[in-house]
């Protein structure tokens, strides 16, 4: 095998030496090279060119690349591929070898190979330009060289002081002369500042100055350059001061003057406010003062020397010894606030000993009162409280005390319900009373009807409902309790009793009266409640008796009112007559009921508040004017006042139904119960009313007063209704009886009514002169009426007897 190879080698050598008579084609050459690679005769790499006509070894490619780099200094890989005619892929691979073979002289950056000699030449060019314009921006150099600013900066840093004569700062390249000039400007500006300054503002001013000096074409100097020069000057001690947060500069001259000003003020006044320090530029006044005056006391708005505590301590001790009071702000400087006074009082020994020994107290933040002074004022206020208790009891308050009386009433009524029913059965006829004249709306014909017709069980049920209604109002009446002294009332009384407060010349006396009133009010209220409780116990019997009588009177009057209301239905078709009847009933019976209820509720409230009052024997006869009713209604507390005003409004209205509704609501709000008229009670009342009217008609001797009684009795007999008609409605009432009476009886009634109207007209027209002809006519009419009276009485008495 070796012999064969040797033979082939010999033949190949002879072939090479021999003159070729036949040329190989490109295809044959390629196949030959491949065959030689396969036979490992060629054991090194070969690279073919882009044209495919040449082969080149990697060593030759690298050699050609190095030659080109030395020639140009900076070559891109793309350009090398074009120059060598080799694919870019192979050029990139060989570029790494080229750079690694000479790392100190070459660098591969962003697809370019750059030699250090190239950077040296660039540095020389930059230096020449820098000397011409004093400063150059790195961004501008990088843009011209088409490289990154970081690369330019690293290149310049390596050649500063050698090829480049300048200073690199903040992306700018400066000449030494320019640096010296700007350093001098920064030094002068910093030394010229005597107050705390923000350096950013100072650098802005210097930039404007430099641009003005360099002209319109000057390049703006970066603030970081000024800051760097400033930091260097401060480090070398050429400028004195302190720098905070990198930009807040405080010159030493200012800090010295600041400390001297604070020391002078504090030594002269024994205090200094935080506002003063903040105006001097001290942002943390408490920390600053504590570091300089360890013995001082930090307050809320100021810093005080211990001597100020000693001064206030002596004044407070003197006030407590005299059983007086003192406003600590009157001793302290005017700039001190109430919170400062409170804090400084906490350091006073006399105040602490007075608080522990129960000799004094602090009210508000700055007022110190001795206990002797407080006790004296409280004793005098208690006397004023008695006047308040008596004067402030015009309103009606039905609270827990009312319920105690109602519960006692329930127990008593339940036990004696049987006795009441027996007494009712034995009750005789009611006595006569005043009647009305037929001219206008005056008094109603009063009745004496039977009361409490229901059995004991029904009475107990009514009282139980009353108790529930009273308890329902408990929450509302507690909120509407008007008999508790207010803060304003207490402050006014204290100012009246102690004029010393006003004589002190306080701009707002409420600043001292408010805390004192807030302290005393709970004690005064407690004292007032105790007195009311005691007085309520004393008046409990009277209140119970008053409520018992009120309930009885209200039951009787309200039942009669319902009875009369039913008769109004007969005249609903005649609007004018109906309006007259409604208005008459409102002004008589309804007004009497309302006045009785208002009067008794007011008496109950006075008893509850400790005012001794005597119960009126005939509260039904009490008559109040419209203004008096309104005043009483407004004096009632809360919702009770609203209900009472509704009753007053209904009394001045035109419909009885509105009065009945508002009266029920007022009674319910007051914890009272109004009985509803049922059929049984209606028959009983009508029977009693009929007997009463029969007796009155039988005994009546006045011909004028007889007619309305006869008409009312006729309506009971034929209509089964209790009618109360004023004078102007009698004629209509008589005409409505025509279809219920026979002709003769109706004739007697109309003749008597006509004669009565004529007599009353003559009486109203009479002058009182004896020679007046009307006197004879009056006598004549009286004789006529006297002759007709037996026949008129016979119309009703005969029917009653039958």
């Amino acid at each position: 095998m070796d012999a064969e190879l040797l033979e082939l080698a010999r033949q190949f050598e002879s072939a090479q030496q021999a003159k070729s008579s036949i040329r190989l084609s490109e295809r044959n050459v390629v196949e030959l090279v491949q065959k030689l690679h396969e036979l490992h005769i060629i054991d090194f790499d070969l690279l073919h060119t882009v044209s495919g006509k040449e082969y080149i070894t990697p060593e030759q490619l690298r050699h050609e690349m190095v030659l080109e780099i030395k020639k140009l200094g900076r070559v891109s890989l793309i350009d090398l591929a074009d120059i060598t005619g080799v694919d870019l892929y192979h050029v990139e691979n060989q570029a790494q070898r080229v750079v690694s073979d000479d790392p100190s002289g070459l660098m591969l950056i962003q697809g370019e190979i750059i030699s250090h000699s190239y950077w040296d030449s660039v540095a020389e060019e930059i230096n020449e330009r820098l000397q011409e314009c004093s400063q150059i921006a790195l961004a501008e150099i990088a843009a011209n060289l088409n490289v990154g600013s970081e690369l330019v900066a690293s290149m310049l840093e390596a050649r500063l002081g050698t090829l480049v004569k300048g200073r690199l700062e903040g992306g700018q390249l400066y000449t030494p002369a320019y640096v010296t000039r700007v350093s001098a400007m920064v030094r002068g500006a910093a030394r010229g500042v005597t107050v705390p300054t923000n350096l950013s503002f100072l650098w802005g001013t210097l930039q404007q100055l430099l641009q003005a000096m360099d002209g319109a074409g000057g390049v703006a100097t970066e603030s970081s350059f000024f800051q760097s020069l400033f930091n260097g000057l401060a480090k070398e001690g050429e400028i004195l001061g302190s720098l905070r947060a990198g930009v807040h500069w405080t010159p030493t001259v200012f800090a010295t003057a600041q400390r001297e000003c604070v020391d002078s003020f504090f030594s002269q006044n024994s205090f200094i406010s935080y506002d003063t320090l903040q105006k001097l530029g001290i942002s943390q006044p408490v920390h600053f003062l504590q570091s300089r005056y360890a013995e001082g006391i930090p307050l809320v708005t100021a810093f005080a020397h211990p001597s100020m505590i000693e001064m206030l301590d002596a004044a407070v001790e003197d006030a407590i010894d005299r059983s007086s009071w003192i406003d600590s702000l009157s001793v302290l400087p005017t700039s001190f606030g109430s919170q400062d006074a409170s804090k400084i009082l906490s350091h006073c020994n006399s105040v602490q000993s007075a608080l522990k020994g129960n000799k004094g107290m602090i009210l508000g933040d700055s007022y110190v009162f001795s206990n002797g002074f407080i006790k004296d004022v409280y004793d005098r206020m208690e006397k004023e409280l008695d006047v308040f208790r008596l004067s402030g009891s015009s309103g009606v308050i039905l609270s827990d005390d009312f319920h105690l009386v109602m519960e006692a009433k329930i127990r008593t009524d339940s036990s004696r319900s049987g006795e009441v029913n027996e007494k009712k059965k034995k009750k005789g006829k009611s006595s006569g009373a005043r009647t009305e004249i037929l001219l206008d709306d005056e008094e109603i014909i009063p009745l004496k009807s039977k009361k409490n017709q229901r059995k004991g069980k029904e009475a107990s049920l009514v009282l139980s409902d009353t108790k529930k209604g009273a308890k329902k109002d408990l929450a509302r009446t507690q909120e509407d309790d008007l008999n508790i002294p207010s803060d304003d009332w207490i402050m006014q009384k204290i100012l009246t009793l102690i004029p010393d407060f006003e004589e002190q010349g306080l701009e707002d006396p409420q600043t001292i009266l408010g805390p004192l009133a807030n302290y005393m009010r709970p004690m005064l209220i407690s004292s007032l409640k105790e007195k009311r409780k005691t007085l309520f116990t004393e008046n409990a019997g009277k209140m119970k008796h008053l409520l018992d009588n009120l309930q009885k009177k209200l039951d009787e009057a309200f039942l009669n009112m319902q009875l009369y209301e039913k008769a109004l239905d007969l005249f609903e078709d005649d609007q004018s007559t109906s309006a007259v009847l409604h208005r008459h009933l409102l002004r008589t019976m309804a007004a009497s009921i309302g006045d009785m209820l208002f009067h008794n509720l007011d008496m109950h409230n006075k008893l509850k508040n400790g005012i001794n009052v005597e119960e009126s024997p005939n509260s039904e006869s009490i008559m109040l004017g419209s203004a008096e009713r309104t005043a009483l209604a407004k004096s009632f507390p809360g919702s009770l006042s609203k209900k009472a005003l509704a009753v007053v409004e209904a009394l001045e209205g035109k419909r009885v139904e509105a009065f009945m509704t508002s009266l029920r609501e007022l009674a319910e709000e007051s914890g009272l119960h109004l009985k509803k008229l049922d059929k049984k009670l209606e028959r009983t009342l009508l029977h009693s009313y009929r007997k009463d009217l029969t007796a009155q008609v039988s005994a009546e001797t006045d011909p004028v007063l007889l007619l309305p009684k006869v008409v009312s009795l006729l309506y009971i007999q034929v209509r089964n209704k209790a009618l109360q008609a004023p004078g102007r409605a009698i004629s209509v009432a008589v005409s409505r009886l025509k279809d219920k009476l026979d002709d003769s009886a109706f004739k007697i009634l109309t003749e008597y009514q006509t004669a009565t109207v004529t007599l009353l007209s003559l009486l109203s027209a009479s002058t009182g002169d004896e020679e007046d002809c009307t006197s004879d006519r009056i006598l004549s009419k009286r004789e006529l009426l006297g002759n007709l009276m037996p026949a008129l009485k016979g119309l009703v008495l005969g029917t009653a007897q039958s």
Side-chain angles (χ1 to χ4, degrees):
M1 186 66 183
D2 294 335
E4 291 179 359
L5 290 176
L6 291 174
E7 180 63 24
L8 287 173
R10 186 181 60 77
Q11 292 176 3
F12 181 71
E13 183 178 358
S14 62
Q16 285 182 330
Q17 294 176 356
K19 191 175 257 189
S20 175
S21 60
I22 301 174
R23 294 177 64 97
L24 294 176
S25 65
E26 291 182 1
R27 179 177 180 182
N28 292 334
V29 172
V30 173
E31 290 179 356
L32 177 62
V33 171
Q34 290 179 350
K35 186 66 175 178
L36 292 175
H37 269 290
E38 292 175 0
L39 295 175
H40 300 288
I41 296 175
I42 299 178
D43 56 356
F44 50 85
D45 294 331
L46 289 176
L47 304 175
H48 59 80
T49 61
V50 177
S51 63
K53 296 180 178 181
E54 294 179 327
Y55 282 100
I56 187 172
T57 61
E59 292 79 4
Q60 181 63 30
L61 178 59
R62 289 196 296 272
H63 176 71
E64 292 181 4
M65 291 173 63
V66 171
L67 292 176
E68 195 67 26
I69 292 170
K70 288 180 178 181
K71 177 183 177 182
L72 299 177
R74 175 182 178 183
V75 184
S76 69
L77 298 182
I78 296 175
D79 292 340
L80 285 174
D82 293 338
I83 293 170
T84 59
V86 181
D87 188 77
L88 179 62
Y89 172 76
H90 301 298
V91 173
E92 289 178 348
N93 290 336
Q94 297 305 316
Q96 299 289 344
R97 290 284 302 275
V98 171
V99 174
S100 62
D101 289 343
D102 188 11
S104 60
L106 300 175
M107 63 177 63
L108 177 60
I109 297 175
Q110 297 179 352
E112 289 183 321
I113 298 177
I114 304 175
S115 65
H116 283 200
S117 61
Y118 172 80
W119 287 125
D120 292 340
S121 62
V122 170
E124 291 175 356
E125 294 176 2
I126 291 174
N127 185 60
E128 292 176 0
R129 185 180 175 191
L130 176 63
Q131 302 309 317
E132 295 176 357
C133 57
S134 298
Q135 60 175 315
I136 303 175
L138 292 185
E140 181 183 352
I141 297 172
N144 293 335
L145 297 176
N146 197 21
V147 294
S149 298
E150 296 82 1
L151 179 59
V152 175
S154 63
M155 179 272 294
L156 290 175
E157 287 175 355
R159 292 164 177 78
L160 285 175
T162 56
L163 297 177
V164 179
K165 306 298 182 181
R167 176 172 176 172
L168 184 61
E169 190 73 45
Q172 293 282 124
L173 188 61
Y174 305 97
T175 61
Y178 186 83
V179 171
T180 302
R181 182 176 65 156
V182 175
S183 296
M185 294 177 65
V186 170
R187 184 188 302 108
R191 289 178 177 177
V193 171
T194 58
V195 295
T197 304
N198 190 312
L199 294 180
S200 300
F201 173 76
L202 187 62
W203 305 152
T205 305
L206 288 179
Q207 280 181 344
Q208 295 176 1
L209 180 61
L210 282 172
Q211 287 181 346
M213 293 172 62
D214 295 340
V219 180
T221 304
E222 294 290 335
S223 298
S224 59
F225 180 52
F226 293 120
Q227 188 69 45
S228 176
L229 294 176
F230 179 85
N231 293 339
L233 293 172
K235 186 176 181 180
E236 294 171 1
E238 295 193 34
I239 52 177
L240 302 177
S242 60
L243 189 63
R244 180 170 56 85
V247 293
H248 299 289
W249 170 250
T250 303
T252 300
V253 62
F254 177 81
T256 303
Q258 191 181 61
R259 288 192 295 270
E260 291 176 354
C261 181
V262 171
D263 292 341
S264 175
F265 189 94
F266 191 72
S267 61
Q268 293 178 14
N269 300 281
S270 299
F271 80 96
I272 188 169
S273 66
Y274 299 145
D275 289 341
T276 302
L277 269 70
Q278 289 176 346
K279 291 177 182 178
L280 291 174
I282 301 175
S283 58
Q284 297 180 340
V286 177
H287 177 73
F288 175 84
L289 292 170
Q290 285 181 328
S291 64
R292 295 188 62 80
Y293 314 107
E295 74 282 1
I297 302 170
L299 304 177
V300 178
T301 63
F303 193 83
H305 190 271
S307 60
M308 190 161 291
I309 297 178
E310 298 172 1
M311 176 181 62
L312 180 60
D313 197 16
V316 171
E317 185 176 6
D318 178 65
I320 292 177
D321 291 341
R322 292 186 292 105
S323 296
S324 183
W325 65 280
I326 185 173
D327 179 9
S328 58
L329 288 177
S330 64
V331 181
L332 298 173
T334 55
S335 61
F336 277 33
S338 57
Q339 293 180 334
D340 297 318
S342 177
K343 194 166 185 178
I344 205 170
L345 283 173
S346 65
H347 291 82
C348 293
N349 294 328
S350 61
V351 175
Q352 300 305 317
S353 61
L355 294 176
K356 292 180 180 178
N358 200 24
K359 295 181 180 180
M361 63 183 64
I362 301 175
L363 296 179
D365 289 325
S366 61
Y367 301 102
V368 181
F369 293 88
S370 68
N371 281 11
F373 180 82
I374 293 290
K375 185 178 183 303
D376 178 62
V377 175
Y378 179 75
D379 292 341
R380 297 166 72 177
M381 284 298 297
E382 273 199 316
K383 296 179 181 179
E384 292 293 327
L385 200 62
D386 293 336
V387 178
F388 170 83
R389 179 174 52 82
L390 297 177
S391 63
S393 58
S394 59
V396 179
I397 302 173
L398 303 178
S399 56
D400 293 334
D401 302 335
F402 175 78
H403 301 310
L404 294 176
V405 175
M406 289 303 299
E407 289 173 359
K409 181 179 184 296
I410 291 170
R411 290 192 295 267
T412 304
D413 288 348
S414 298
S415 63
R416 67 183 185 182
S417 59
E419 298 177 6
V420 173
N421 289 333
E422 291 296 327
K423 290 180 180 179
K424 291 178 182 176
K425 296 177 180 178
K426 297 179 181 179
K427 186 178 291 185
K429 295 182 179 179
S430 58
S431 58
R434 287 184 59 197
T435 57
E436 64 174 350
I437 298 179
L438 300 179
L439 286 177
D440 207 339
D441 306 346
E442 292 189 5
E443 284 193 9
I444 195 169
I445 300 176
L447 302 176
K448 294 294 182 178
S449 63
K450 292 186 178 181
K451 297 178 291 182
N452 299 327
Q453 296 295 325
R454 298 185 180 181
K455 296 181 179 179
K457 181 178 180 180
E458 294 173 333
S460 178
L461 180 60
V462 169
L463 293 174
S464 177
D465 292 340
T466 303
K467 178 181 176 182
K468 291 179 181 178
K471 286 185 176 180
K472 182 179 180 181
D473 298 335
L474 175 59
R476 290 194 300 269
T477 54
Q478 286 177 343
E479 295 178 359
D480 297 334
D481 193 345
L482 302 179
N483 291 330
I484 297 298
S486 64
D487 289 335
D488 292 338
W489 183 88
I490 295 175
M491 287 189 289
Q492 184 62 37
K493 288 300 178 183
I494 292 176
L495 193 61
T496 303
L497 296 174
I498 315 294
D500 189 33
F501 289 138
E502 195 168 14
E503 293 173 0
Q504 290 291 327
L506 299 174
E507 295 181 0
D508 185 10
Q510 190 173 358
T511 56
I512 182 174
L513 296 176
L516 188 59
N518 291 336
Y519 174 76
M520 286 189 174
R521 188 169 183 264
M523 297 188 296
L524 291 173
I525 291 175
S526 178
S527 173
L528 180 62
K529 288 182 178 180
E530 288 296 327
K531 291 181 178 179
R532 284 179 177 174
K533 185 176 180 180
T534 302
L535 293 171
F536 171 77
T537 304
E538 296 175 358
N539 292 334
K542 292 182 179 180
M543 293 166 65
K544 175 182 174 299
H545 182 67
L546 176 67
L547 290 176
D548 286 342
N549 287 342
L550 175 59
Q551 185 67 65
K552 293 176 183 177
K553 294 173 183 177
L554 198 59
D555 287 344
E556 178 181 352
F558 191 68
L559 288 174
N560 286 335
M561 186 69 185
Q562 293 177 83
L563 187 66
Y564 299 144
E565 183 186 14
K566 286 181 173 293
L568 301 179
D569 297 337
L570 299 174
F571 299 89
E572 286 299 323
D573 55 340
D574 187 347
Q575 293 184 359
S576 59
T577 304
S578 177
V580 171
L581 293 174
H582 275 269
R583 189 164 54 251
H584 173 71
L585 198 56
L586 285 172
R587 293 182 180 180
T588 52
M589 188 69 179
S592 176
I593 295 174
D595 294 344
M596 176 188 66
L597 181 58
F598 281 17
H599 174 72
N600 281 274
L601 289 178
D602 185 56
M603 287 182 60
H604 175 272
N605 186 66
K606 290 179 179 178
L607 288 173
K608 178 179 178 296
N609 287 279
I611 300 177
N612 292 322
V613 293
E614 296 296 331
E615 186 177 356
S616 301
N618 294 319
S619 59
E620 299 94 332
S621 61
I622 293 174
M623 297 179 63
L624 301 175
S626 177
E628 293 174 312
R629 294 190 194 110
T630 303
L632 273 180
K634 289 182 177 180
S635 69
F636 296 159
S639 58
L640 194 64
S641 174
K642 184 177 180 180
K643 304 294 184 183
L645 288 172
V647 172
V648 175
E649 184 179 356
L651 285 173
E652 297 175 357
K654 298 180 179 180
R655 300 295 296 180
V656 174
E657 294 87 345
F659 168 77
M660 300 294 279
T661 301
S662 59
L663 184 66
R664 287 190 185 93
E665 292 177 354
L666 175 60
E668 181 181 357
E669 189 73 19
S670 304
L672 300 170
H673 178 74
L674 295 179
K675 292 183 179 180
K676 186 176 181 180
L677 183 66
D678 56 16
K679 294 296 183 180
K680 182 178 179 182
L681 282 175
E682 183 178 0
R683 287 194 299 271
T684 304
L685 288 176
L686 284 173
H687 179 70
S688 175
Y689 187 26
R690 180 172 181 172
K691 289 177 60 178
D692 193 17
L693 278 177
T694 300
Q696 292 182 36
V697 168
S698 178
E700 186 60 67
T701 58
D702 190 333
V704 176
L705 298 179
L706 178 63
L707 180 60
K709 296 179 181 180
V710 170
V711 172
S712 296
L713 189 55
L714 283 172
Y715 266 82
I716 292 179
Q717 294 172 354
V718 301
R719 297 281 190 180
N720 206 30
K721 300 289 184 181
L723 176 65
Q724 289 291 336
R728 66 180 66 179
I730 286 294
S731 60
V732 177
V734 170
S735 65
R736 293 293 181 98
L737 293 172
K738 183 176 182 180
D739 58 340
K740 298 294 182 179
L741 300 176
D742 53 35
D743 295 339
S744 59
F746 184 72
K747 182 179 180 181
I748 294 173
L749 183 61
T750 52
E751 289 179 356
Y752 195 93
Q753 189 263 339
T754 302
T756 303
V757 172
T758 303
L759 174 61
L760 291 175
S761 299
L762 292 173
L763 288 173
S764 63
S766 175
T767 60
D769 189 357
E770 295 181 357
E771 297 180 357
D772 191 355
C773 62
T774 57
S775 300
D776 296 336
R777 297 180 63 188
I778 291 172
L779 290 175
S780 174
K781 289 296 179 182
R782 284 189 179 277
E783 291 177 0
L784 176 61
L785 290 175
N787 295 331
L788 292 176
M789 281 180 68
L792 185 64
K793 289 184 178 182
L795 294 179
V796 290
L797 295 181
T799 306
Q801 292 171 356
S802 64

